[in-house]
Amino acid sequence: MEFSSKLIEKAVNEMAQLPGIGKRTALRLVLHLLKQPKEQTAFLSQALTTMREEIKFCENCHNISDTKVCEICANHARNHQTICVVEDIRDVMAIENTGQFKGIYHVLGGKISPIEGVGPSQLTISSLVEKVKSGKVVEIIFALSSTMEGDTTNFYIYKQIADSDIIISTIARGIAVGDELEYADEITLGRSILHRVPFEKTFKNN
């Protein structure tokens, strides 16, 4: 792709690094920004800079937050004895959109994947285990994607907390095996949360 301006080329190359954005789409977005008033571009630039510099991760659940403790964890109306374990922040958003879950979350920050070099120590598993050992948790719900990596992560955590006197469940398999959680429709995901099953059954029946 030939550019008549090095400034445009640099902007397109940076924009094209975003997921799902190719060079042609990046060029279209950059040219769109050029047509907008300079103030509009400045607002966008400032919003991104402020987000990057000031965004925090909840010290309790590791969800993104504007404060040290996110709004979900700070909400006393939520059931703090039920923790839904998810892979990343997008999964929190997906489940919240169903309106079916009233507990709190624990964001692992990924899933165990030896191929990609991701081990248990690189996830927030240890802090989840500490929560369980505190005696304040009644139920842990596994809501990871139903992939081999997701199942491996579920089983690893299960082995860490199996001796605890709590309910360990997983969302019902309304989510197709191999599907990513964030792409599930809200009705299916909501039903999976409501009709969760004891985690032990998911591997004893295999």
Side-chain angles (χ1 to χ4, degrees):
M1 185 178 291
E2 296 294 329
F3 296 91
S4 59
S5 165
K6 292 295 182 182
L7 296 174
I8 293 290
E9 183 178 4
K10 184 177 180 180
V12 168
N13 288 338
E14 291 300 321
M15 190 79 75
Q17 293 186 44
L18 296 172
I21 303 294
K23 284 286 184 74
R24 293 185 182 279
T25 301
L27 176 59
R28 191 158 58 246
L29 292 172
V30 168
L31 294 178
H32 171 76
L33 289 173
L34 273 180
K35 294 178 181 179
Q36 304 304 304
K38 288 184 178 181
E39 295 81 6
Q40 189 66 39
T41 307
F43 290 151
L44 173 60
S45 176
Q46 185 59 50
L48 293 173
T49 300
T50 301
M51 175 198 68
R52 194 66 187 88
E53 292 179 349
E54 299 183 11
I55 200 73
K56 298 176 177 62
F57 291 91
C58 176
E59 60 185 24
N60 182 52
C61 73
H62 310 288
N63 189 18
I64 53 173
S65 176
D66 294 340
T67 54
K68 289 184 177 180
V69 177
C70 71
E71 292 183 357
I72 295 175
C73 287
N75 187 348
H76 296 294
R78 309 281 300 215
N79 179 4
H80 287 244
Q81 294 181 314
T82 301
I83 298 178
C84 185
V85 181
V86 297
E87 178 184 339
D88 62 30
I89 294 155
R90 293 170 297 180
D91 298 333
V92 173
M93 296 177 178
I95 294 174
E96 282 297 286
N97 285 338
T98 70
Q100 300 294 334
F101 182 63
K102 304 304 179 184
I104 58 175
Y105 298 89
H106 185 92
V107 182
L108 294 175
K111 51 194 172 187
I112 296 172
S113 177
I115 294 177
E116 297 180 4
V118 180
S121 62
Q122 293 167 276
L123 307 177
T124 63
I125 293 175
S126 59
S127 61
L128 174 62
V129 174
E130 288 176 9
K131 289 177 187 177
V132 173
K133 289 182 177 179
S134 72
K136 298 179 181 179
V137 179
V138 172
E139 181 181 8
I140 290 290
I141 305 169
F142 291 131
L144 274 64
S145 301
S146 54
T147 60
M148 182 178 295
E149 292 81 6
D151 289 343
T152 298
T153 307
N154 284 340
F155 188 70
Y156 179 87
I157 297 172
Y158 170 76
K159 296 297 288 183
Q160 302 295 309
I161 63 176
D163 294 336
S164 304
D165 187 24
I166 64 171
I167 300 168
I168 304 175
S169 61
T170 183
I171 56 176
R173 294 300 190 182
I175 308 300
V177 174
D179 277 2
E180 295 293 334
L181 200 67
E182 63 177 300
Y183 299 123
D185 65 272
E186 294 174 7
I187 295 176
T188 299
L189 185 55
R191 287 175 178 171
S192 294
I193 286 290
L194 289 177
H195 301 295
R196 55 188 180 272
V197 297
F199 178 68
E200 294 92 332
K201 290 185 178 181
T202 66
F203 62 86
K204 288 181 179 178
N205 292 333
N206 289 336

